[in-house]
Amino acid sequence: MRHFTNVHDLGNLQLALQEAFDIKADRYKYCELGKNKTLMMIFFNSSLRTRLSTQKAAMNLGMNVMVLDVNQGAWKLETERGVVMDGDKPEHLLEAIPVMSCYCDIIGVRSFARFENRRDDYEEKILNQFIQYSSRPVISMESATRHPLQSFADLITIEEYKKTDRPKVVMSWAPHPKSLPQAVPNSFAEWMNATDYEFVITHPKGYELDPAFVGNARVEYDQEKAFEGADFIYAKNWSAYNESDYGKVLSKDMSWTVDERKMKLTNNAYFMHCLPVRRNMIVTDDVIESENSLVIPEAANREISAQTVLKKILESL
């Protein structure tokens, strides 16, 4: 595997899951694989789980790790070609990227949607510049349109906890005070569509996702109907995708908050969320603190998903 930006990069998904569970059983089994290799992690945006889990995964494989926060302690970077650089950005990404690649073997990049232009976001300009100009394998640590390390961890978690071969998985929009990208819901949908699960997406009208990510999922505008018989509830907010409202908050309808009453409509479903979560907006205290809440095991599996990806890339170097 050369780069990791989506589910298709993993190849056979069942084999990748087997590899993940092999690593989880003994995460130091391949501790010599990354000896004298360096992972550089570049953050254009904030991170907690992604930074800690990916760094720990690399260390488990014996790698050196360097972390660069572009917004603290580094030159501000211009990302657009053709710009007259007479402002506050003294360095261009097109010089910075090949310089960074001189110092490492694998590059991880985290860069969110900017909500300035939908086309620019969905073309993944920053991530693709790293792939084009770094000469190194590149891992997406969340981009404008996807968060594949999170989605891989989500899939690992569902496989661990599912009680039937083909569980019903429901991804539900929930209210949030700020505009959030579609990266996590896009990515979760893409990964669920790569399985044979029964997959349902529920959201208010106006919050339709890019059809390329919705795929074969059933879209249900009645949240309670969607929850009926579900085995897993994955709650997540996202802002509008449609071009005229792109990046906007169209609703903060608190009736979409995941609460105990709605969870009782399910098949004693597990609750999932990528974190961080706005309590009593996305989900009530009682649900996230219940014995069916998987948010902590899900977060723990971020180490496993990252280590599986790094192992596969290291083996191809």
Side-chain angles (χ1 to χ4, degrees):
M1 185 168 71
R2 176 64 177 173
H3 303 295
F4 179 69
T5 65
N6 61 66
V7 65
H8 307 294
D9 291 331
L10 278 181
N12 186 301
L13 196 53
Q14 288 304 312
L15 291 179
L17 282 166
Q18 291 175 23
E19 203 166 349
F21 289 123
D22 174 59
I23 286 169
K24 190 164 186 176
D26 182 2
R27 62 197 70 196
Y28 301 109
K29 183 177 180 179
Y30 305 99
C31 62
E32 295 294 316
L33 185 61
K35 185 177 181 181
N36 298 328
K37 302 293 184 184
T38 298
L39 169 67
M40 180 179 287
M41 299 163 59
I42 301 160
F43 292 90
F44 289 84
N45 300 94
S46 301
S47 176
L48 188 150
R49 277 150 297 278
T50 298
R51 175 171 176 168
L52 297 178
S53 61
T54 309
Q55 186 165 354
K56 179 63 164 59
M59 292 165 63
N60 292 348
L61 293 167
M63 297 188 76
N64 303 309
V65 181
M66 295 190 291
V67 179
L68 177 65
D69 185 336
V70 172
N71 299 311
Q72 294 183 2
W75 298 115
K76 289 186 177 181
L77 295 174
E78 178 57 62
T79 60
E80 299 295 325
R81 295 184 74 254
V83 173
V84 177
M85 292 175 57
D86 58 356
D88 65 343
K89 297 175 180 177
E91 184 157 10
H92 202 287
L93 197 61
L94 295 184
E95 284 77 61
I97 289 172
V99 168
M100 294 173 190
S101 68
C102 294
Y103 310 136
C104 65
D105 302 280
I106 301 173
I107 297 177
V109 181
R110 183 176 179 91
S111 179
F112 294 173
R114 295 178 175 180
F115 290 145
E116 296 170 359
N117 181 295
R118 189 179 78 170
R119 181 176 178 180
D120 285 351
D121 285 343
Y122 273 69
E123 286 180 351
E124 294 286 12
K125 285 189 172 182
I126 291 179
L127 179 64
N128 285 329
Q129 283 184 85
F130 274 93
I131 291 172
Q132 183 175 358
Y133 297 111
S134 71
S135 75
R136 303 296 184 198
V138 173
I139 296 172
S140 170
M141 300 191 301
E142 188 171 359
S143 67
T145 64
R146 292 178 173 93
H147 195 350
L149 288 174
Q150 177 65 54
S151 300
F152 191 12
D154 296 335
L155 178 60
I156 292 167
T157 306
I158 292 172
E159 284 291 304
E160 284 182 309
Y161 285 87
K162 70 180 186 181
K163 297 173 183 176
T164 63
D165 288 337
R166 189 171 183 265
K168 180 180 178 180
V169 180
V170 177
M171 180 173 71
S172 177
W173 180 93
H176 194 282
K178 297 173 63 178
S179 292
L180 296 186
Q182 299 98 32
V184 169
N186 282 347
S187 194
F188 186 75
E190 186 171 59
W191 285 68
M192 292 301 100
N193 279 315
T195 72
D196 63 352
Y197 303 160
E198 179 184 355
F199 180 48
V200 179
I201 303 173
T202 184
H203 56 73
K205 289 186 182 296
Y207 279 100
E208 291 78 9
L209 294 167
D210 181 345
F213 292 105
V214 174
N216 297 322
R218 177 166 68 87
V219 177
E220 175 57 65
Y221 294 102
D222 183 331
Q223 187 189 36
E224 294 189 5
K225 185 177 180 181
F227 274 41
E228 292 175 359
D231 299 295
F232 294 87
I233 298 296
Y234 194 101
K236 186 70 181 80
N237 174 267
W238 61 89
S239 59
Y241 166 76
N242 68 80
E243 190 145 21
S244 60
D245 295 316
Y246 179 62
K248 293 180 181 178
V249 175
L250 303 180
S251 171
K252 297 180 185 177
D253 185 353
M254 296 293 287
S255 71
W256 281 77
T257 300
V258 178
D259 57 21
E260 281 191 309
R261 183 184 65 82
K262 290 173 191 167
M263 292 298 288
K264 287 178 181 177
L265 300 171
T266 71
N267 184 28
N268 194 30
Y270 291 106
F271 175 80
M272 300 178 70
H273 188 278
C274 61
L275 301 181
V277 66
R278 300 269 184 155
R279 284 183 176 227
N280 302 306
M281 287 205 74
I282 300 287
V283 59
T284 60
D285 291 330
D286 291 340
V287 171
I288 198 170
E289 293 174 8
S290 74
E291 62 181 12
N292 277 18
S293 174
L294 297 181
V295 295
I296 303 306
E298 187 182 355
N301 278 332
R302 291 293 307 278
E303 177 184 348
I304 306 306
S305 65
Q307 190 167 337
T308 306
V309 168
L310 285 168
K311 173 181 176 289
K312 290 174 76 69
I313 291 177
L314 284 168
E315 289 172 337
S316 69
L317 293 179

